[in-house]
Amino acid sequence: MKESVLDVLMFLLDNYSEGGAMDDDDRDELVGQLASMGFGEGEIDHAFDWLESLAQDDDTTTQTDCAPWSDKAQRQFSTQEQYRLTLEARGFLILLAQNPMIDKPSLDRVIDRAMALDLDQIDLDDIKWITLMVIYNRPDTAHLHAYMEELAQPDALRRLQ
């Protein structure tokens, strides 16, 4: 399941990232394309649900009234996150937060979306793609798109350190 759901999400990112809102005809066409490529209905539905949930995360009516994070606050990973996110994936997220490539609420959103995939383990490549999808979905982040695409490539971390 791991490769299929992530592959569906990557296909959707590559082929639909600049198209704006998706209507039912667009979705039906994409579902048909994905099915013809051999993806199962479950993986396709899971990927669309994941994307819809990502879009709902930006809805201010679903956000809680939490106090803003202190600039000195550091994100601690829960036991489940430590178990499922590889050391390299956690290191990547910490590096992004320290640089500050993404704001802390976006970092939480990346972790939430990673955990929502129900994968046994989320590695560095997985978390890079998930981060890219979250950044693409956030308003006012167009200036980060090219940078995040570069980070999704192999050996990109060496250039950051």
Side-chain angles (χ1 to χ4, degrees):
M1 179 173 144
K2 173 185 175 183
E3 298 304 326
S4 295
V5 173
L6 287 175
D7 287 341
V8 171
L9 289 168
M10 286 186 258
F11 175 86
L12 293 172
L13 179 68
D14 286 343
N15 293 285
Y16 206 77
S17 62
E18 297 181 17
M22 185 184 314
D23 61 24
D24 288 339
D25 290 337
D26 294 330
R27 182 177 172 142
D28 291 344
E29 181 180 335
L30 286 169
V31 167
Q33 285 179 326
L34 290 163
S36 70
M37 294 169 63
F39 292 107
E41 184 179 341
E43 287 85 13
I44 295 169
D45 288 343
H46 189 93
F48 276 104
D49 291 345
W50 190 93
L51 287 172
E52 287 171 10
S53 181
L54 178 63
Q56 290 172 356
D57 286 345
D58 278 337
D59 183 1
T60 56
T61 62
T62 63
Q63 296 176 2
T64 60
D65 293 327
C66 296
W69 287 27
S70 163
D71 289 339
K72 297 178 192 223
Q74 184 173 357
R75 174 68 159 78
Q76 299 295 312
F77 295 98
S78 73
T79 303
Q80 185 179 19
E81 291 166 351
Q82 289 178 34
Y83 179 75
R84 292 180 54 206
L85 295 167
T86 64
L87 182 61
E88 292 81 11
R90 293 190 314 262
F92 176 77
L93 292 170
I94 291 168
L95 184 64
L96 287 179
Q98 289 173 345
N99 275 332
M101 299 299 159
I102 62 175
D103 59 12
K104 293 193 178 10
S106 294
L107 178 68
D108 277 342
R109 184 167 289 120
V110 169
I111 295 167
D112 174 69
R113 294 292 78 216
M115 301 306 280
L117 286 174
D118 292 330
L119 304 176
D120 290 336
Q121 191 169 54
I122 300 149
D123 64 22
L124 178 60
D125 289 334
D126 298 339
I127 206 69
K128 285 179 179 182
W129 280 105
I130 294 164
T131 303
L132 185 59
M133 286 181 253
V134 169
I135 293 298
Y136 267 24
N137 194 64
R138 302 281 298 152
D140 304 323
T141 59
H143 63 287
L144 292 177
H145 292 182
Y147 186 74
M148 291 306 299
E149 285 177 7
E150 184 176 329
L151 281 181
Q153 303 305 314
D155 298 327
L157 285 181
R158 286 192 211 141
R159 293 188 293 268
L160 266 182
Q161 299 171 340

